[in-house]
Amino acid sequence: MTEKLYYWAESLENYISDNEVQNDQLLEIKRLNFFIGKNNAGKSRFLRTLFMSNYPSGFYNFPELVKNLNILKIRLPELEAEFGYTSSFSNIKNNYQDLIKDLEQSKTSQLIFLNSSIKSTLERDSKIANLFMDYNFFEITDEQVSKISEVFLNQFYIPILRGMRPVTDLQNKQPYIDRAQKDYFIDTNKFNAKNIITGECLYHELKIHLLGEPEQREIIKSYEEKLSQYFFDNEPVSLIPKHDQDVVNIKIGNDAQRPIFELGDGLQQAIILTYEAYIKSKDKEGNLETHAFFIEEPELHMHAGMVRQLMNFYLNETKHYYFFTTHSNHLLDMADESDQVMIQKFVKQPKEDNPNEFEFKIYRCDRDRDLLASLGVRPSSVYLANCTIWVEGITDRLYIIKYMEKYLAELEKIDEELYKNYRRFMPNYHYTFVEYAGSNLTHWSFDDDYPKTREERISFLQQDRGQSATAVASDMLLIADGDIQKNSEKIKFLRKELNKDNLIILDCKETENTLPKDSIIRVVKAKFPRLKQVKPSYDISLIDHITQDDYFDNAQYGIGRLIDEKIKKPTSTTTKTAFADGTGVGTIKDKLKFCREIIKDFDEYSDWKLTPKAKQLCERIFNHIEKCNS
């Protein structure tokens, strides 16, 4: 599903969305949607309201008609008061009611007719049309209306009260679901065990599948393989609904079979949060299905690395859409790594017209200080991973993450055993990244013999030898750009304090020089029309003259200068650069924006290949991670 999706919060009161479509009742959504904010900011109530949504509220991939519906709803009482039951008013009212019904039944062919009918009525009756001056109905085409589709087949809610261990001996009782119904869902015929997932019935679900048809047993086997891949370091996993117990047993690798309560609570959560999502990812014929899952606090009892693996599981193994309330700061950088992640911040604030009442403002955000503050994150947060990879900045981290993903995808085809070994490594658990900024390296000491006593530390700091890297981060691999070579003192310092296995100095100017040629050219071609004041001096068609794959692999210059040299017109004498950040070594302009466009290109052109140096870099990184986690 490539088009943008929106939730129309027609049935929500006191919620206002701050979004790019300038409609405070529309909320843009993506595959993974994180709702963050302080306690009592309205996140959970909003999540449950989305789950319970009835038409016309709901999810749409074309919001313009939805905005028209909202205007119609507001204007109908005005029409009735002014015109009574004239034929024009009756036509619009009947068409509005029919539109609502057809949206519920996803009859897009009828929607086209009804939308046209409303337009015709407004064209005939200028008085009624005047009540719709704030929106132009005639801008909506039949082709656009036909894009409206049923986005999700079903919607499921996972409350914070969940667990795989029964809490009552009564037959056919599920206390967690009963509690959720009593607290939140009055209509128990509509909201029940069919769409509320608590983990209580997993034992019986597994028994039904394992004693059922061959395809039911096969999907459990497939699910166990995915659990092994994402959560159990590739150790074989078996889920067993043992006949003389009421809880699921688990066998991991060569370990003895154990009841679920003898394992960590985090593993129980991982199973609860993935089982239904995976089981419901295909229909009986094997066709992919898309549902919506509304999940309270997915990080409950789970290590940060395991939560990240959970999100990778959702993105890679299902096509569903997910909505989370969360207080986990470990999920925030996923917005940098995938364009399928959306973070919405909830803020409770007094109403402007009545300070004694409150409203909830929803802000779309990516990375900012307020975002971290909303989650209670402080500068004293520490690294928890088993090893660290030090990179010069955010762009290097984002490129390397994509390189590692591609390396694994290519490795699966040529060395399945090594692939299985490497794919088990979880970000923020087995490894994490540290961004150090190149000029700050001299402020760090990488010496393992950092002083232990208070007196030794004071003496050490007085010598201005820098802060201890080992004091704040575990086993490290430091990756430095090749342009560090010009600073012999810094090179000498690093090689003295880090052994060769823990130091990588690129033999090209910077990480951008390891990018694949075709991706750079595509992004440059897309960016060039947006440049100002340089077009007369540069000819973007000249970039097609780059034929050698290693053109950008340069130890002296950045790709910005290499691009400019190629596309500058032979007759031009300008000193203005097009893509280089200045006339010196030629680092690319707007590195972060360029990085995001490269990553977007990677996602759109999945057949891109790692350059030799990018592949070598990945090999060194995975060797380091493996050594530190053996």
Side-chain angles (χ1 to χ4, degrees), residues 27-154:
L27 189 75
E28 184 181 347
I29 64 171
K30 295 186 178 181
R31 287 281 313 283
L32 302 183
N33 301 273
F34 299 109
F35 300 151
I36 70 148
K38 297 179 179 179
N39 290 330
N40 199 33
K43 306 182 298 295
S44 294
R45 185 161 68 91
F46 184 83
L47 186 83
R48 289 190 293 271
T49 304
L50 263 63
F51 167 60
M52 295 186 290
S53 292
N54 293 316
Y55 287 92
S57 283
F59 299 92
Y60 299 92
N61 55 9
F62 182 61
E64 278 74 8
L65 181 61
V66 175
K67 288 189 284 188
N68 281 349
L69 288 174
N70 193 36
I71 294 171
L72 278 169
K73 177 187 176 184
I74 295 171
R75 295 292 189 263
L76 283 176
E78 299 178 34
L79 288 171
E80 186 170 5
E82 184 166 349
F83 299 101
Y85 287 94
T86 62
S87 59
S88 294
F89 168 73
S90 297
N91 284 338
I92 288 185
K93 184 174 183 178
N94 292 336
N95 285 331
Y96 169 77
Q97 293 171 343
D98 289 341
L99 274 170
I100 298 302
K101 292 178 183 177
D102 289 321
L103 277 173
E104 189 170 5
Q105 299 171 15
S106 296
K107 295 179 180 177
T108 54
S109 60
Q110 183 69 4
L111 286 176
I112 295 173
F113 168 76
L114 291 171
N115 195 54
S116 299
S117 178
I118 291 176
K119 291 178 183 178
S120 299
T121 302
L122 293 174
E123 286 175 328
R124 289 195 308 268
D125 197 319
S126 59
K127 290 184 179 180
I128 292 180
N130 286 337
L131 291 176
F132 297 86
M133 289 294 289
D134 57 348
Y135 193 83
N136 188 354
F137 275 70
F138 308 105
E139 291 180 355
I140 299 178
T141 67
D142 290 348
E143 180 183 358
Q144 289 173 319
V145 177
S146 68
K147 291 181 180 179
I148 294 178
S149 65
E150 184 176 11
V151 177
F152 307 128
L153 296 177
N154 296 292

Side-chain angles (χ1 to χ4, degrees), residues 400-465:
I400 289 172
I401 287 170
K402 281 298 182 182
Y403 285 175
M404 292 170 70
E405 291 175 1
K406 174 59 72 171
Y407 179 78
L408 286 178
E410 294 180 356
L411 187 63
E412 184 178 13
K413 301 173 184 176
I414 59 176
D415 192 335
E416 188 172 357
E417 285 303 313
L418 189 59
Y419 163 73
K420 288 182 178 179
N421 184 32
Y422 284 171
R423 75 179 181 184
R424 68 189 175 90
F425 297 132
M426 298 183 292
N428 294 330
Y429 181 81
H430 294 105
Y431 67 94
T432 193
F433 288 91
V434 178
E435 299 169 15
Y436 62 81
S439 60
N440 288 338
L441 266 184
T442 53
H443 301 306
W444 290 96
S445 170
F446 299 96
D447 193 344
D448 285 335
D449 296 327
Y450 195 75
K452 304 294 189 298
T453 68
R454 181 176 181 274
E455 291 74 14
E456 288 174 340
R457 290 193 197 102
I458 293 174
S459 175
F460 187 93
L461 292 173
Q462 287 174 344
Q463 299 172 44
D464 196 24
R465 292 177 60 188

Side-chain angles (χ1 to χ4, degrees), residues 188-218:
T188 57
N189 291 321
K190 186 175 181 180
F191 303 105
N192 47 49
K194 293 181 179 179
N195 52 18
I196 302 175
I197 299 169
T198 59
E200 295 171 273
C201 59
L202 249 171
Y203 176 90
H204 300 285
E205 282 279 324
L206 283 170
K207 182 180 288 187
I208 290 170
H209 276 78
L210 292 173
L211 297 178
E213 300 297 326
E215 55 269 22
Q216 290 179 294
R217 295 193 293 274
E218 187 62 32

Side-chain angles (χ1 to χ4, degrees), residues 144-170:
Q144 289 173 319
V145 177
S146 68
K147 291 181 180 179
I148 294 178
S149 65
E150 184 176 11
V151 177
F152 307 128
L153 296 177
N154 296 292
Q155 299 182 180
F156 301 92
Y157 173 64
I158 304 181
I160 200 165
L161 194 61
R162 55 185 184 256
M164 291 176 63
R165 295 177 293 168
V167 293
T168 180
D169 292 330
L170 297 176

Side-chain angles (χ1 to χ4, degrees), residues 73 85 146 222 266 310-311 349 373 395 434 468 518 568 599:
K73 177 187 176 184
Y85 287 94
S146 68
S222 175
L310 172 67
M311 299 305 154
Q349 59 190 29
T395 57
V434 178
S468 170
D518 292 343
K568 190 173 182 179
I599 289 174

Side-chain angles (χ1 to χ4, degrees), residues 532-626:
K532 299 178 181 179
Q533 300 178 345
V534 299
K535 293 178 184 177
S537 304
Y538 292 89
D539 181 359
I540 192 59
S541 67
L542 295 175
I543 202 168
D544 292 327
H545 293 174
I546 299 175
T547 56
Q548 63 270 39
D549 288 336
D550 62 350
Y551 173 78
F552 294 104
D553 181 2
N554 193 293
Q556 190 174 1
Y557 300 122
I559 64 171
R561 174 164 174 165
L562 297 172
I563 294 167
D564 285 354
E565 289 179 349
K566 186 60 68 173
I567 67 173
K568 190 173 182 179
K569 294 179 180 179
T571 58
S572 173
T573 59
T574 184
T575 58
K576 291 183 179 179
T577 60
F579 287 92
D581 187 10
T583 57
V585 293
T587 295
I588 194 76
K589 283 182 182 177
D590 298 323
K591 289 187 72 168
L592 184 54
K593 290 182 180 178
F594 185 83
C595 173
R596 295 193 191 283
E597 294 192 46
I598 287 287
I599 289 174
K600 183 179 179 182
D601 182 84
F602 286 166
D603 292 336
E604 292 178 356
Y605 296 90
S606 58
D607 58 345
W608 68 279
K609 301 292 184 183
L610 288 169
T611 61
K613 287 187 177 175
K615 185 176 180 180
Q616 292 169 12
L617 182 61
C618 289
E619 289 170 349
R620 291 282 303 276
I621 290 171
F622 276 108
N623 285 337
H624 173 74
I625 296 172
E626 182 181 35

